[in-house]
Amino acid sequence: MKRIALVGMPNTGKSTLFNRLTGASARVGNWPGLTVELASARIPLGRHMAQIVDLPGIYDLQGLTEDENAVQRFLQSQSVDLVAVVINATQIDRQLALAVQVRDSGFPCIVLLNMADEAERYGVGIDPVKLQAALGVPVASLSAKYGRGYPQALQLLGQALETSTPLALEQARARLEQRRDGQEGARAALSAAVQLPTRLPDTWAQRIDHWVMHPWIGPPLFLAFMALVFNAVFTLGAPLQEGLGWVFDQLRVQVLAPTLAAAPAWFSGLLLDGIYNGLSTVAAFVPVIMLFFVFMTLIEESGYFSRAAFLTDSLMSRMGLDGRGFVMLLMGFGCNVPALMGTRVMRSRGLRLLTMLIIPFSLCSARLQVFLFIIAALFSPRVAPWVLLSLYGVSFAATFASALLFKQRYPSNEPFVLELPPYRLPTMRQILLRAWGEIHHFLHRATKFIVIGVVLVWMLTNLPPGQPTAGPHTLAGWVGHALHPAFAPLGIPPELIIALIFGFVAKEIVIGSLAVIYGLQGDALQHAIAAQITPAAAYSFMLFTLIYTPCLSTVATLRSESKSNAYTWLSLGWSLGLAWMVSLVFYQGTRLLGWA
């Protein structure tokens, strides 16, 4: 089987070309000797079956950053029959040097001039025949987004694959160690085949950027826009989630429960309350994640995220982060899971780990449900909005404090290089492929962890047999009373401790667990909780819920994205310890002031 590696700078449309080549057949996985996951797929190409590998976007082939190191190690350790260098034709003057580096390193290669339609609009004149003669490698122009020139580019890939000879790994290792900047060869090719306009024409995009990139107007515009996006995601996602929940409820009542009626109680309970609930929990994430990535694809492909990152970079750099970290934090207010997955756009591992460390402190929508319930039970309508606003403030304070504390442990080894791409609208094909790819990846990663977690919770609340569910003599009851000495200084009683244990699986379970523990629902449940704890203790409980160990899906994503058990345990330990300290300081402080 032949192997083709796609190489290019960020924002060249390389992944768009990969998706057009492979459709929905791509798989993401680890490669020997690499710490990053690479997307690959097998497609028929000419007389051969070819494996297409989408390598990370790089600016240089010399291995100065994590992604560049990953590309270099891949080319040194894997037999590659052809390297396809994808270039943004509108920026050919800055990107052609990478193609010259690949050529001079001895790899059989071709050059694909993507976004050729945009280059024409901007007045960038490229003669592919002359460029091919100047470079000495095959050249094709195309638009991967719209498919223009795609058949010709595909034919060129097949022809080049027929005549290519893989570079021996020993030669690849030696040649990649030699410094080649490619600038001289690029200048010669540009002068022979490319005509650049002296000045790009003014466009409507520049007029938009006048407001979007304004240092005072831009940030509130961005916050307002993201608020609209999050509202749209959850406004549209809520009925989808409810509909999916109704389907699962009907399947349980109409099909599974009657089928298991004759089975032993412990067995039916394990299957229905444990495994089936676990699968339902995973499925409940799907509508929101699907809508989330539909909107995120629109925003990312439009070029707006690059501008938002630029606006917030100055603030975030003081905490060891960059502008993209702020965007990911905002994503986390919707759901921590896709926000963690979104850090893949970061090239430095240190920067990515630091950003992933702080994302779980974002006040996600699942925590918001808990807070709205508790606030309505304990606080008056006049005070309630300010209580909720203060929790958002604590969320930001926890993220910034954690970043300042750990920025030396996870330093970034690269400058923040930002490309401002032109505004574009993605095609429906791009949107659907991206949404499906993320959902598939999420389900594959998270399902087993969710199911295991829910089964463990069921065991805690139902063993030993014969006890009321979540009663004081069940394992969960014993755990709650055993942990009470640690939580008593925080004002949190055993019943709420058990709810916190349930919250580790998913924060949405907290309210349901309280209903099971108290045997009440709705207003009666709120009155019972209000009668048991003070407003200060309730706020302490909400502080702990906000900061402590995130849900099982988030933990699974942390482990999957970091590929480090030690890092995952550090994240869990720090969030748990910080939650305990913050709640302790608040509750004991209110007692000293006579407010508890």
Side-chain angles (χ1 to χ4, degrees), residues 284-345:
F285 279 94
V286 171
V288 172
I289 287 185
M290 178 188 69
L291 288 170
F292 189 90
F293 277 106
V294 165
F295 282 104
M296 287 304 107
T297 301
L298 282 168
I299 297 171
E300 290 173 12
E301 295 295 331
S302 71
Y304 188 39
F305 264 175
S306 297
R307 289 155 174 86
F310 173 82
L311 283 172
T312 57
D313 180 63
S314 177
L315 171 65
M316 302 301 286
S317 63
R318 299 174 186 175
M319 293 170 282
L321 304 167
D322 66 21
R324 291 166 296 186
F326 184 77
V327 175
M328 300 308 157
L329 283 178
L330 291 182
M331 287 186 184
F333 282 100
C335 179
N336 292 171
V337 171
L340 291 170
M341 295 161 67
T343 61
R344 296 172 191 168
V345 300

Side-chain angles (χ1 to χ4, degrees), residues 13-38:
K14 178 171 57 65
S15 296
T16 302
L17 175 61
F18 175 79
N19 290 333
R20 182 168 286 277
L21 284 168
T22 63
S25 62
R27 298 180 62 185
V28 178
N30 294 316
W31 288 74
L34 273 68
T35 58
V36 298
E37 291 182 331
L38 302 179

Side-chain angles (χ1 to χ4, degrees), residues 60-64 101 175-182:
D60 192 274
L61 198 61
Q62 302 305 320
L64 301 178
Q101 283 185 334
R175 293 194 179 191
L176 284 172
E177 295 297 328
Q178 302 174 18
R179 292 285 306 177
R180 295 182 174 89
D181 61 15

Side-chain angles (χ1 to χ4, degrees), residues 404-427:
L404 288 170
L405 183 63
F406 287 96
K407 69 177 183 178
Q408 299 300 326
R409 183 183 179 94
Y410 300 111
S412 173
N413 59 357
E414 62 160 334
F416 180 39
V417 180
L418 180 66
E419 294 278 352
L420 289 182
Y423 288 104
R424 305 184 183 99
L425 281 177
T427 63

